[in-house]
Amino acid sequence: AFLIGILTKLTDLIVDNKLRFIKYSEYFLGLGYGILTAYIVSKTDIVTASLWVGLVLGVIITGKIDKLAHILGLVGFFGYTILNGLPKLSILFIAIFTLATSFDEVLEERIKHKEKLINLFKKFLGLELVCLIVSLLTSNWMVFFSILSFDIGYIVIAKIGSKILKYKNNKKRI
């Protein structure tokens, strides 16, 4: 999950900010995170697998898959799933995680330019809080630690990416 967070944010940085280091790297990264996500779905328990399927459905529903690199992430996810089959999933948990992801994505768009405190507040009201509650109720801590691991990878690359962007923008001004 940590690696999926890293690959997802790297893909975002490349497609949104043109931080490409290797030609076509965003396509390979997108395909990679899609395959890794499907792999996690195939190898984890029913609730954790449902988290990742719900997350994928949530970003599809909210229109977050808007660039070719992210479409290739879906191709990797569905391609792996078609080749290896779907594991047992819980429709109830898929619905819960899809709604939580959709809530996160819609709220993020609405408060994108607001204060950092609001962003921090939002972060703990969406998917992460739902995962914590599900983990508490099911005693399945893989759900919470899975999303936490993803978030850590994503946030680390976001911080590194923002430093690279600042350097790149300062260099252009000179």
Side-chain angles (χ1 to χ4, degrees):
F2 179 75
L3 186 54
I4 295 168
I6 288 172
L7 295 178
T8 302
K9 189 58 187 176
L10 279 173
T11 304
D12 285 343
L13 286 169
I14 293 168
V15 298
D16 295 340
N17 301 294
K18 306 207 182 340
L19 279 181
R20 182 183 300 140
F21 300 106
I22 300 169
K23 194 172 187 175
Y24 307 119
S25 59
E26 66 272 27
Y27 306 125
F28 295 109
L29 292 168
L31 193 60
Y33 80 68
I35 291 169
L36 277 174
T37 304
Y39 177 78
I40 285 181
V41 168
S42 73
K43 299 297 180 188
T44 57
D45 61 89
I46 190 170
V47 182
T48 307
S50 297
L51 160 65
W52 291 98
V53 170
L55 198 151
V56 169
L57 292 175
V59 295
I60 291 171
I61 289 168
T62 56
K64 288 300 199 172
I65 309 298
D66 58 350
K67 304 279 196 259
L68 180 58
H70 293 302
I71 292 168
L72 287 172
L74 286 179
V75 168
F77 178 82
F78 289 116
Y80 184 96
T81 302
I82 289 167
L83 291 174
N84 295 290
L86 260 178
K88 289 184 179 180
L89 297 167
S90 164
I91 292 178
L92 173 65
F93 285 117
I94 289 173
I96 290 168
F97 295 130
T98 300
L99 287 171
T101 299
S102 298
F103 174 78
D104 268 3
E105 296 298 338
V106 169
L107 190 60
E108 181 181 331
E109 282 301 313
R110 294 189 188 273
I111 64 170
K112 203 175 236 180
H113 304 291
K114 304 283 188 219
E115 295 178 31
K116 288 184 180 185
L117 181 61
I118 294 172
N119 282 319
L120 184 64
F121 183 67
K122 170 252 155 203
K123 194 65 181 161
F124 294 104
L125 282 182
L127 185 59
E128 289 73 10
L129 179 61
V130 169
C131 287
L132 178 61
I133 292 167
V134 167
S135 291
L136 285 166
L137 293 174
T138 63
S139 298
N140 181 349
W141 288 98
M142 182 59 77
V143 173
F144 180 70
F145 289 118
S146 182
I147 199 63
L148 183 64
S149 177
F150 171 88
D151 285 346
I152 291 169
Y154 192 93
I155 290 166
V156 165
I157 295 304
K159 295 287 184 193
I160 293 169
S162 70
K163 290 184 187 301
I164 292 170
L165 284 172
K166 282 181 188 175
Y167 175 77
K168 183 179 172 185
N169 291 336
N170 286 336
K171 197 173 178 181
K172 282 182 180 178
R173 290 185 199 146
I174 296 176

